[in-house]
Amino acid sequence: FPCTYGNSAFFENNDMMLLGRVQKDQLLNRTSYEFYNGMQPDGEAAWTLDESIAVPVWNFPLMTSVQQINFHNKTGRFIFGNWAWISYDGHPRPDHSPDERNGRTGHQRTQLSLIEAPNPWGPFSVFYTNDNWEMDDGSSGAYTPVFPPAWMGDEDMWMVSTQCCIGSSHPNTPDNHYNFIVQHVEIEL
């Protein structure tokens, strides 16, 4: 079954993530999708066709954003990066809300969390968090971290993300710039 993850229909700062699955030959048939509905008494995952009763596989109130979860063969874990805009005092802050330090709106401070689980439905646990996710030039505002499957090796992997706009401490960085970021991640077991 190919699996798909989704949230509450927002790009960033959501509350939870849901899990759906479908047979490969039914990808375009919306009525064929099943949704995770918790665990059965025998320890097996329960599935339902009714998305309104789907059970979240990940809860992180106001801090859950667009996800792509991939399986890492060497560790046998499902891994994803989660990002969220946060205020300078660490609270969730929706994108384009006023910056409490300088009144600007735009992408500023971002939190990065790396999360893993033994199954597509969890249980998920955080193995890395950075409340001030910045690039080498001191710029902030990174989002949508992804581990491309083709770039996931046994001993290391690469995470890609997008980074935008305001917040660089480097004097030669323009205020409104977009970057495609590639970061090396080493795996320690």
Side-chain angles (χ1 to χ4, degrees):
F1 283 94
C3 292
T4 182
Y5 294 87
N7 55 33
S8 309
F10 298 112
F11 178 65
E12 38 79 21
N13 288 62
N14 285 289
D15 296 328
M16 64 183 170
M17 191 168 52
L18 302 174
L19 172 64
R21 70 179 190 178
V22 65
Q23 295 284 343
K24 285 182 183 180
D25 63 349
Q26 295 297 310
L27 280 173
L28 299 178
N29 184 356
R30 178 62 179 83
T31 59
S32 295
Y33 280 73
E34 298 178 321
F35 300 90
Y36 177 73
N37 190 242
M39 299 301 291
Q40 298 178 29
D42 65 1
E44 293 294 316
W47 300 90
T48 179
L49 293 172
D50 184 355
E51 66 188 83
S52 70
I53 61 172
V55 174
V57 296
W58 171 255
N59 286 293
F60 198 14
L62 298 176
M63 300 286 280
T64 302
S65 299
V66 177
Q67 309 302 343
Q68 177 179 321
I69 301 175
N70 292 308
F71 185 73
H72 183 253
N73 287 321
K74 173 85 177 202
T75 61
R77 308 303 263 191
F78 292 85
I79 298 175
F80 73 97
N82 183 73
W83 64 278
W85 307 116
I86 61 173
S87 65
Y88 291 101
D89 59 0
H91 296 292
R93 184 181 65 77
D95 186 21
H96 301 296
S97 62
D99 177 335
E100 64 270 22
R101 288 197 181 171
N102 57 29
R104 295 182 301 198
T105 58
H107 303 233
Q108 286 110 35
R109 189 168 179 227
T110 311
Q111 179 192 76
L112 170 68
S113 298
L114 302 181
I115 299 142
E116 58 83 27
N119 301 296
W121 49 85
F124 286 98
S125 61
V126 176
F127 66 90
Y128 174 83
T129 299
N130 182 341
D131 284 341
N132 199 31
W133 184 23
E134 291 184 331
M135 301 306 122
D136 291 341
D137 69 354
S139 58
S140 59
Y143 58 97
T144 61
V146 173
F147 292 101
W151 294 4
M152 294 176 78
D154 285 348
E155 306 302 324
D156 65 354
M157 63 181 85
W158 295 87
M159 181 178 72
V160 299
S161 60
T162 305
Q163 183 262 345
C164 170
C165 303
I166 304 166
S168 177
S169 60
H170 191 281
N172 295 325
T173 305
D175 278 346
N176 292 299
H177 68 291
Y178 270 91
N179 293 307
F180 175 75
I181 307 296
V182 179
Q183 294 177 290
H184 184 242
V185 178
E186 291 183 7
I187 302 167
E188 294 180 15
L189 301 176

